[in-house]
Amino acid sequence: MAEDFEKILGADNGNPPDSLRQMYPKVNRNFDKVKAWFTSTLSLINGHIQSAAAHLAEHITYSGSAPGATVKQGIDNTYNRISEIVAQAGDDNTEIVDARNGFTTLGDRLNASDAQLAEIAHNVKAYGAVGDGITNNTAAIRAAINAASATGGGVVYFPPGIYGINAYVAIPSNITLQGAASGASIIKFLPNSDPAGAPAFGGGPRIICNDNPLNSPYNENITLQDLTFEGNGSEQTFSLLVSFKSVTNLSVIRCNFNNFGNTEIYNQGLVVFESNNVRIKDCGFSHNSGDGAAIAESCNNVLVTGNMASNNHDYGIVLSNVCTHVIVMGNTSKNNVQNGIGVDECNDVVVQSNICHNNGQYGIVVQRFDPNPTYPNRRCTVTSNICYSNSVGIAVHSAEEVLVGSNIVYDNGDGMQIVDSKKCLITNNQATNQISHGILLISYDPAAGISDNMLSQNVVFGNVYGVRELNAGGSVTANVIWGNLVYNNSNNYVVGPSKIKGVNISDEVVEWTNGRVDYDASLSATSATAGVASNLPTSPAGYLTQRVDGVNVKIPYYNA
């Protein structure tokens, strides 16, 4: 445009200067040209703004590496391809090949990720496993485990799928079997499973087991996580067991163990023997013909927490045979044919904050199943549990020094049973609306007997019997029943030689002055000075104050 302007002549450009008459017309004509140029340019700008639709991606032609004739097609095709690769990674090798060859940066990143994953995980599909629920994957799973073990240990990964096996799978030290999720990655025992070569101990062949359960050096650092182990139920012809023996640092987390055994074959879901530092957390045990989970034979330092055990034919969860230092906490055990949670011949066990209901026999039981006085249950605590709709809510059989405290039991046959046990403290429990007894102290064995137990500060109401002592061929001596709130039962107290203090048996008044205690005529009443079915003395020995439902209650006690 500059060449179109008219020059104004002067000394600076070597020409005789224009006169003013000559200058002004040139200046005016130049301004007119500038104005015309700006007007034209503005029109072009406005036209460009108004034509934005012409610049949409689908209207711009494109030629490049990505497939597509327009920019939009190239972008969309690239996006869709990447989405397919991400969604199908690990399941469709063609997609991965395309990614590596067609997209340099993405391919480099996939290669780098593969190198990192190879150091920490062995995908069973890379060893030939097929998760279709039909194929026998035993050899592929063994190969993946052996490859991980050959490098000192690692993770064997099961993508979502159902992986059939039919023979022994050994797990060495420092191995984790890792699934995508407990309901997504399933290891299923096929109907033609063969126990040949599997180690046999504790009642049957162990189809999935640590690889050195019987000889030292024993195994360590084994984990099962986010997997489901599925038996073959009615098609099972021999005992299939997922079991570990003599392992230090064993973790079973977010796994399910279902449908092992049938009416002809007794089979637990998971069994752990003689192991130290065991953690069983957030697992499920269901529809097994034996126990859901069994921890047995001198296991030490065990945590069983957050699990669900249901519809098993024996115990939901059981500890047995001299296990020590065990915490069973925050589990739910329901609808088991026999018992919810059991502690059999173990010491220093805490059973806390569990929910046990609709079990055929006991909600929670601490017992010595085999009457061997060498291994009584000692120093166990059963606290803050809720047990309902069982034959018996909580039972203590043939045990010593057991604390049963702050539990809630209701709608059971019996709320609590203390059987042939000594030096137990039953305190701060609530036992309501049982079909029979709120709390029953009973002896069958004269050599063991029931003695030196204390029932203290329990709330017992709405039962046929509130608190009852019963001699069923055994021996009952020297128990103390003190400071309990026992009311609105058909029979509040039926006791024998125990010392009764702080008896609270009235339904309506705040201050009790003349309660009634019934004594079981079959028991010796040498220390029951009130006599058989007799009123207590008019004057109590003293009073206790107990807060009940926000009210300070004055409770008399009588020195029996």
Side-chain angles (χ1 to χ4, degrees):
M1 177 186 173
E3 63 272 11
D4 294 333
F5 288 115
E6 297 182 51
K7 291 183 179 181
I8 298 174
L9 301 178
D12 60 334
N13 52 29
N15 296 303
D18 288 333
S19 64
L20 289 176
R21 181 176 292 180
Q22 291 172 319
M23 289 182 191
Y24 290 151
K26 288 182 179 182
V27 171
N28 289 335
R29 285 191 297 269
N30 285 338
F31 274 113
D32 288 340
K33 289 178 181 180
V34 171
K35 179 179 178 183
W37 183 84
F38 275 114
T39 301
S40 175
T41 301
L42 182 61
S43 177
L44 292 174
I45 293 172
N46 288 333
H48 185 77
I49 294 172
Q50 294 169 5
S51 65
H55 296 276
L56 294 175
E58 62 261 34
H59 297 155
I60 300 175
T61 58
Y62 164 79
S63 176
S65 299
T70 67
V71 170
K72 182 178 186 303
Q73 290 174 356
I75 293 172
D76 288 348
N77 289 332
T78 302
Y79 174 83
N80 292 335
R81 198 62 167 161
I82 292 173
S83 296
E84 290 175 2
I85 291 167
V86 172
Q88 301 182 38
D91 293 330
D92 188 340
N93 290 332
T94 302
E95 301 294 342
I96 300 300
V97 171
D98 287 352
R100 296 187 201 281
N101 296 335
F103 303 96
T104 303
T105 302
L106 181 57
D108 290 344
R109 291 178 179 176
L110 286 170
N111 292 334
S113 296
D114 282 354
Q116 294 174 2
L117 289 172
E119 296 176 0
I120 61 172
H122 296 262
N123 190 322
V124 293
K125 287 193 171 183
Y127 294 85
V130 180
D132 60 2
I134 300 173
T135 302
N136 181 5
N137 298 280
T138 306
I141 293 171
R142 287 174 174 171
I145 292 173
N146 291 339
S149 180
T151 60
V155 177
V156 177
Y157 177 65
F158 293 76
I162 302 175
Y163 300 89
I165 64 171
N166 75 339
Y168 173 46
V169 173
I171 306 175
S173 295
N174 306 312
I175 292 294
T176 293
L177 301 189
Q178 173 72 57
S182 60
S185 301
I186 301 170
I187 298 175
K188 180 175 177 60
F189 291 82
L190 298 173
N192 61 340
S193 295
D194 183 355
F201 55 88
R206 311 291 158 165
I207 300 301
I208 292 180
C209 181
N210 52 303
D211 69 344
N212 199 27
L214 302 177
N215 303 293
S216 63
Y218 297 118
N219 295 106
E220 61 184 7
N221 306 326
I222 294 176
T223 298
L224 308 180
Q225 187 161 296
D226 295 315
L227 289 164
T228 290
F229 296 86
E230 193 80 20
N232 50 43
S234 61
E235 298 178 313
Q236 194 167 321
T237 58
F238 65 93
S239 181
L240 297 171
L241 292 171
V242 181
S243 183
F244 296 90
K245 185 176 188 292
S246 303
V247 179
T248 298
N249 302 329
L250 171 67
S251 295
V252 183
I253 302 171
R254 295 187 299 275
C255 291
N256 292 325
F257 301 82
N258 305 327
N259 298 313
F260 286 93
N262 51 51
T263 56
E264 301 297 326
I265 297 173
Y266 185 93
N267 214 152
Q268 293 110 327
L270 171 68
V271 187
V272 181
F273 294 97
E274 299 179 17
S275 296
N276 295 316
N277 304 332
V278 178
R279 180 173 56 157
I280 302 173
K281 184 175 185 293
D282 298 334
C283 294
F285 308 93
S286 178
H287 294 92
N288 301 293
S289 67
D291 307 316
I295 297 92
E297 297 184 7
S298 303
C299 287
N300 184 49
N301 292 335
V302 180
L303 173 63
V304 182
T305 183
N307 303 288
M308 169 68 77
S310 64
N311 299 103
N312 301 288
H313 201 270
D314 205 342
Y315 289 85
I317 299 169
V318 62
L319 316 173
S320 64
N321 301 106
V322 205
C323 293
T324 57
H325 303 106
V326 182
I327 297 175
V328 182
M329 181 172 64
N331 304 283
T332 297
S333 193
K334 65 178 184 177
N335 299 323
N336 299 290
V337 174
Q338 295 297 321
N339 308 309
I341 295 174
V343 180
D344 181 4
E345 298 181 11
C346 298
N347 297 326
D348 302 300
V349 175
V350 175
V351 181
Q352 180 177 328
S353 302
N354 302 283
I355 299 174
C356 299
H357 65 90
N358 294 97
N359 297 290
Q361 192 170 359
Y362 301 112
I364 297 172
V365 58
V366 178
Q367 67 177 346
R368 189 173 71 236
F369 182 77
D370 179 9
N372 181 351
T374 306
Y375 301 115
N377 290 285
R378 284 197 175 99
R379 300 181 301 276
C380 298
T381 65
V382 181
T383 59
S384 303
N385 302 283
I386 299 174
C387 298
Y388 62 92
S389 300
N390 309 283
S391 292
V392 179
I394 297 174
V396 178
H397 285 229
S398 303
E400 297 181 13
E401 302 170 11
V402 176
L403 166 63
V404 181
S406 302
N407 301 284
I408 297 174
V409 293
Y410 63 94
D411 293 343
N412 302 284
D414 284 347
M416 295 184 179
Q417 290 183 354
I418 312 301
V419 184
D420 288 321
S421 297
K422 300 176 181 179
K423 301 176 184 177
C424 298
L425 174 60
I426 317 302
T427 184
N428 286 305
N429 301 286
Q430 179 174 305
T432 61
N433 299 320
Q434 322 302 329
I435 295 173
S436 187
H437 301 90
I439 301 176
L440 172 64
L441 290 82
I442 186 169
S443 176
Y444 299 97
D445 181 0
I450 182 165
S451 65
D452 300 310
N453 302 291
M454 174 175 279
L455 274 66
S456 171
Q457 297 179 326
N458 300 285
V459 178
V460 185
F461 66 90
N463 311 285
V464 174
Y465 292 93
V467 175
R468 186 183 186 188
E469 279 186 333
L470 183 61
N471 188 342
S475 172
V476 180
T477 57
N479 300 294
V480 176
I481 302 171
W482 175 83
N484 300 282
L485 177 60
V486 183
Y487 68 101
N488 198 30
N489 303 281
S490 300
N491 302 277
N492 287 317
Y493 281 88
V494 179
V495 298
S498 294
K499 296 180 179 180
I500 305 169
K501 298 184 179 183
V503 178
N504 180 343
I505 57 177
S506 174
D507 298 340
E508 299 174 355
V509 299
V510 173
E511 182 174 326
W512 289 269
T513 57
N514 192 23
R516 181 182 178 89
V517 176
D518 294 332
Y519 292 89
D520 188 339
S522 69
L523 293 170
S524 169
T526 55
S527 63
T529 56
V532 176
S534 172
N535 288 330
L536 291 172
T538 301
S539 300
Y543 291 91
L544 300 172
T545 300
Q546 182 169 330
R547 192 165 184 83
V548 180
D549 294 333
V551 177
N552 288 320
V553 176
K554 187 177 181 182
I555 304 172
Y557 66 87
Y558 302 85
N559 291 325

